[in-house]
Amino acid sequence: MLDEQRTGLVDYQMLIGGEWVEAADGSKMKSENPYKGTDWASVPDGAEADVDAAVAAARSALNGEWGALSARDRGKLMRRLGDLIAERAEHLASVESTDNGKLYKEMLAQAKYLPEWLYYFAGAADKIGGDVIPSERPNFHIYTRHEPIGVVGAITPWNSPILLLGFKLAPALAAGCTLVVKPSEHTPVSTLEFAKLFEEAGFPPGVFNVVTGGPAAGAALSSHPGINKIGFTGSDATGRKVLQAGAENFTRVTLELGGKSPNIVFDDADLEAAANGVIAGVFGATGQTCMAGSRLLVQKSVKEELLQRVAKRARTIVMGDPMSAETEMGPMATRPQFEKVMGMLARARDAGAEIVTGGDASPNHDGFFIQPTIVDASENTDLEVVRDEVFGPVLSVLTFETEEEAIEIANDTRFGLAAGIWTQSGQRGTRVAHKVRAGTVWINAYRVVAPNVPFGGFGHSGIGRENGFDAIRAYTETKSVWTELTGATRDPFSIG
Ligand code: NAD
């Protein structure tokens, strides 16, 4: 338990231009602990004026001390930040778990892994080389530069606030950009705790700014003419608004949105491993991950056996205090999310869905707990829980007879973030992986990410990719430089 929690509401300021400040109009908002159902922290409720101030601070750092640093020196600061995150991982995880109700052990694993993003991209900072382009004309020397795109607005969701911020922050800093971050109004605190490390690491003021606030602050950021790029993670509905808001200023975007990812189990799979993968894919993090394997596609001949294994394990999932090491599934992270999932379950029951297990709030817990739920949708493939992202512990089961049918059902969605394939045939695994329209495919595994592997979605799951060396490109503009070598006078009306 945090020391401050014992004394009541913890009061936070936000970071703009190296100063800890209140919102310009003095407004505050509260952050709720979803396990206890009580408010635990108070943060500034930022708005347009605060976004203006943060963007100005970020621009000033870009044009000042930060912009003048060499790429190698940027990398050194990033490594120091990575070390500080590793040192404070327990504290950051504890704050994050208190704010979003996800398991402490999961948030700790994320906080301990996050430094790898800083280290990987720190190493890349001084390797963002351009090309010398062979010229058709002997009198020209032509080369490209990849310059920082400028001031980046990062808008993050509540499920993994600082890890998903790291996906944007690390390549942006490596590229030489500065940032204004708007964390989710439901989980603003870990980003504020994280911001404290920047000063300690020695970053110049204004490189990293945080404006806490709700959708209005997010809208002010994404429509701001001083923002050159938005890195957004959240729902497809909000992603569309971000895209529309940025259109006015041709703001560059990377959008990481939702999913309805299939876990495809063939009859030659190791069913024990597949059952574990299915459980981890949809009940891990209480289903609140963009890459949740929320559709199980199982070959008809092994449906009963697999379903039995998955349902048996689902019924024994230990729910409870997210801070406890024994807990396997915490509550929903926010009250609105709890209500949204409960509404979807009620509509599924009304539509005659066959509920194999779960299907309701947990009778044994206060707070926003929902039972691990399995819906057999093999006879009812048009249910809302089959088509739309639930972002909760709800698995829809569909069946197929042939490989072609499996691919067809897997691709019958507007999303395309991830997919799992379970088979002991290497040929089949690879064949199907190439046909499924998804940004990430795991064969005999699920829910693995790394700083050096691109991550993002097809279709409504987003635009662009995070992670991987090329993520840096998304934070640069390419400039081509032509130098005429002879000084010869040219005909002013001829091109080329
Ligand atoms: P959300 O879209 O409601 O909110 C995301 C962020 O956008 C928040 O900070 C919010 O304040 C801000 N926002 C709200 N309205 C805005 C507006 N009009 N303009 C600009 N910003 C605005 O998403 P959420 O509920 O916080 O997160 C859950 C969603 O995030 C799910 O759909 C999930 O799949 C997705 N997600 C995707 C990934 C990924 O990497 N693809 C990872 C995690 C979560």
Side-chain angles (χ1 to χ4, degrees), residues 262-281:
N263 237 326
I264 309 168
V265 182
F266 287 97
D267 58 5
D268 64 349
D270 172 343
L271 290 188
E272 182 61 22
N276 283 335
V278 170
I279 292 276

Side-chain angles (χ1 to χ4, degrees), residues 472-488:
I472 291 180
R473 288 274 184 268
Y475 291 93
T476 63
E477 289 282 9
T478 303
K479 180 180 282 175
S480 303
V481 181
W482 296 64
T483 309
E484 210 283 336
L485 300 173
T486 64

Side-chain angles (χ1 to χ4, degrees), residues 133-142 482:
I133 297 173
S135 176
E136 289 294 301
R137 302 173 188 86
N139 60 327
F140 275 102
H141 170 57
I142 311 166
W482 296 64

Side-chain angles (χ1 to χ4, degrees), residues 11 22 52 80 86 105 196 209 283 311 330 359 363 373 420 449 460 494 496:
D11 191 41
E22 298 293 353
D52 282 345
R80 212 173 299 156
K105 60 189 172 198
K196 292 179 183 170
N209 306 275
F283 299 129
T373 297
V449 293
H460 286 218
S494 77

Side-chain angles (χ1 to χ4, degrees), residues 342-355 358-361 383 385:
M342 290 299 289
M344 286 179 102
L345 290 176
R347 287 191 293 279
R349 280 194 302 271
D350 290 349
E354 191 186 330
I355 311 264
D360 216 329
L383 286 172
V385 287

Side-chain angles (χ1 to χ4, degrees), residues 155-160 164 167-168 182-186 213-222 232-239 241-242 245 255-259 288-291 337 340 389 391 415 417 455-457 461 466:
I155 302 178
T156 52
W158 42 259
N159 57 337
S160 298
L164 296 172
F167 285 17
K168 299 153 189 44
K182 209 297 285 172
S184 167
E185 58 277 26
H186 300 293
L221 191 60
S222 48
F232 172 83
T233 302
S235 62
D236 55 336
T238 311
K241 289 184 195 162
V242 168
L255 302 177
E256 297 291 356
L257 310 174
Q288 301 169 113
T289 68
C290 52
M291 61 186 95
Q337 189 58 23
K340 179 190 149 193
E389 186 182 41
F391 221 60
F415 296 109
L417 192 61
F455 181 76
S461 288
E466 296 190 311

